[in-house]
Amino acid sequence: MKIKEAIWAIIEEWDTIIIHRHVRPDPDAIGSQCGLKELIKVNFPDKEVYAAGSSVEDLEYLDVMDQVPEDLYEQALVIVTDTANIKRIDGDDYRLAKQWIKIDHHPLDDPYGEIEWVNTKASSCSEMIADLWLTFQDKIKMTPKAARLLYAGIVGDTNRFLYDATTPFTMRVAAELMSYPFSHTEVNDRMTAIKPHTSKLMGYALENFQLADDGVGHITLTQPLLKSLDVDDSETHGIVPLLGKIEGVEVWAVFVQQSDGEYRCRLRSKGPVINGVASNHGGGGHPLASGAHAKDEKELEQILAEMRTQVEMFHK
């Protein structure tokens, strides 16, 4: 309660508030960022509130980013949502702000900001923003737009309430948000929609996914392959949960080659803890869902070897 009281009290103090989130955002990043923005705007109409970061076309059905002049930061409060590490904050101007607040649900491996609210038991950062509202319902007015954004963030990070991070509290929060007039079926449909060319990628992934006897699976998507299928990195996220449905998979990785030849690595697990593996390779995240970076194919092999070690340790 005290940390939430402190955060809302600080929000009340500032006239200009700029909200950031992580690079390459997912629905929870947009949902928590823009959901919080909407709550602040509707409860404090005189405040200037901005959502900062690069635009992502595939997520514009949720909300769009604001253009934030650099000089506003000098007299602004910055709130960063859903971002574990400073290096993953989208945009650099946040450093100019007078005060920072961090709101996040990832393991605390990179402290930053004068105030940090980190709840690793929360399913999502959107759940935390909704929790803030529920704690102070007598003070904070909810709107259908904010409810839709926060619901979308929760759905995104729980994979429609399928992941272990989904708790009874998560379901209660979602039910409260669904009481507002927005279409939850529309949100789910938009989030699960598959573009025709992306379906070809999914077919390729299922056909070429490599699964070892120890339950370690992976697929590597090269730049020539992505170009041949007419997809880019931002459209590869859909195959990650799909591959986890294959029987026998315990941990799996999706390696996506970038334009510079290096690799973005999405790591997932059904039990063995893999965020330490991600940390060893310039990344981090949740125990069962993390991201990393690899310079070359040799480092990809190192990541797979470390994932195999985690599977062995899990079964000892």
Side-chain angles (χ1 to χ4, degrees):
M1 174 73 79
K2 289 183 178 180
I3 185 65
K4 287 179 276 188
E5 287 177 341
I7 287 173
W8 195 249
I10 292 172
I11 288 173
E12 290 178 323
E13 292 173 5
W14 287 85
D15 294 326
T16 303
I17 300 171
I18 304 170
I19 307 172
H20 282 254
R21 40 75 185 160
H22 61 75
V23 296
R24 295 170 174 164
D26 54 15
D28 185 35
I30 300 294
S32 59
Q33 176 193 33
C34 296
L36 179 58
K37 171 191 168 182
E38 173 69 9
L39 287 179
I40 296 173
K41 283 182 62 178
V42 74
N43 286 280
F44 303 103
D46 295 333
K47 294 185 185 294
E48 293 186 57
V49 191
Y50 301 90
S54 55
S55 296
V56 180
E57 183 178 349
D58 285 352
L59 293 175
E60 286 185 354
Y61 69 88
L62 293 176
D63 212 343
V64 296
M65 298 297 103
D66 299 311
Q67 296 296 320
V68 187
E70 182 180 311
D71 58 2
L72 285 183
Y73 283 85
E74 296 179 2
Q75 299 298 325
L77 166 69
V78 160
I79 302 174
V80 183
T81 67
D82 197 38
T83 309
N85 307 309
I86 287 181
K87 64 185 179 182
R88 296 203 70 223
I89 299 175
D90 192 348
D92 296 324
D93 290 342
Y94 67 87
R95 300 177 186 273
L96 303 173
K98 298 295 183 181
Q99 189 171 16
W100 299 9
I101 293 175
K102 174 183 181 180
I103 302 177
D104 189 36
H105 69 122
H106 298 92
L108 182 58
D109 59 0
D110 187 8
Y112 62 85
E114 287 82 4
I115 291 185
E116 294 181 295
W117 178 24
V118 177
N119 180 7
T120 57
K121 295 181 180 180
S123 70
S124 55
C125 196
S126 295
E127 179 182 309
M128 294 176 67
I129 303 302
D131 182 20
L132 182 68
W133 159 62
L134 289 170
T135 302
F136 304 114
Q137 278 185 286
D138 57 332
K139 290 184 178 181
I140 305 176
K141 177 185 176 182
M142 178 59 70
T143 70
K145 179 178 179 180
R148 177 180 180 273
L149 284 161
L150 297 174
Y151 175 83
I154 293 171
V155 168
D157 253 27
T158 62
N159 190 21
R160 293 173 294 164
F161 310 106
L162 295 176
Y163 290 159
D164 287 345
T166 306
T167 65
F169 182 71
T170 305
M171 303 304 289
R172 287 194 292 271
V173 169
E176 291 284 352
L177 295 171
M178 288 174 65
S179 69
Y180 286 80
F182 71 91
S183 173
H184 66 277
T185 54
E186 176 265 339
V187 171
N188 282 280
D189 288 346
R190 293 293 297 268
M191 202 169 292
T192 57
I194 300 171
K195 295 179 180 178
H197 63 285
T198 306
S199 67
K200 295 179 181 179
L201 173 64
M202 290 184 168
Y204 176 88
L206 290 171
E207 186 174 352
N208 293 275
F209 183 64
Q210 298 181 47
L211 179 60
D213 292 339
D214 57 8
V216 178
H218 77 281
I219 188 168
T220 302
L221 306 176
T222 64
Q223 278 290 306
L225 171 69
L226 295 177
K227 290 178 181 178
S228 71
L229 295 174
D230 193 28
V231 297
D232 58 34
D233 181 30
S234 67
E235 297 173 300
T236 62
H237 62 86
I239 70 170
V240 180
L242 176 68
L243 297 175
K245 296 178 181 180
I246 297 174
E247 185 176 356
V249 173
E250 289 204 57
V251 298
W252 68 103
V254 175
F255 301 132
V256 184
Q257 190 177 39
Q258 306 297 294
S259 58
D260 60 2
E262 298 187 356
Y263 292 86
R264 179 181 183 182
C265 311
R266 294 184 175 96
L267 312 182
R268 297 294 185 269
S269 172
K270 294 180 180 178
V273 174
I274 44 84
N275 58 346
V277 176
S279 296
N280 293 341
H281 299 274
H286 300 288
L288 305 184
S290 295
H293 180 85
K295 294 181 179 179
D296 50 33
E297 293 182 5
K298 182 178 180 181
E299 189 168 359
L300 297 184
E301 291 299 326
Q302 292 173 347
I303 290 173
L304 291 173
E306 292 173 29
M307 293 177 75
R308 289 190 181 94
T309 299
Q310 294 304 114
V311 171
E312 292 172 5
M313 292 175 59
F314 182 74
H315 290 290
K316 282 186 177 179

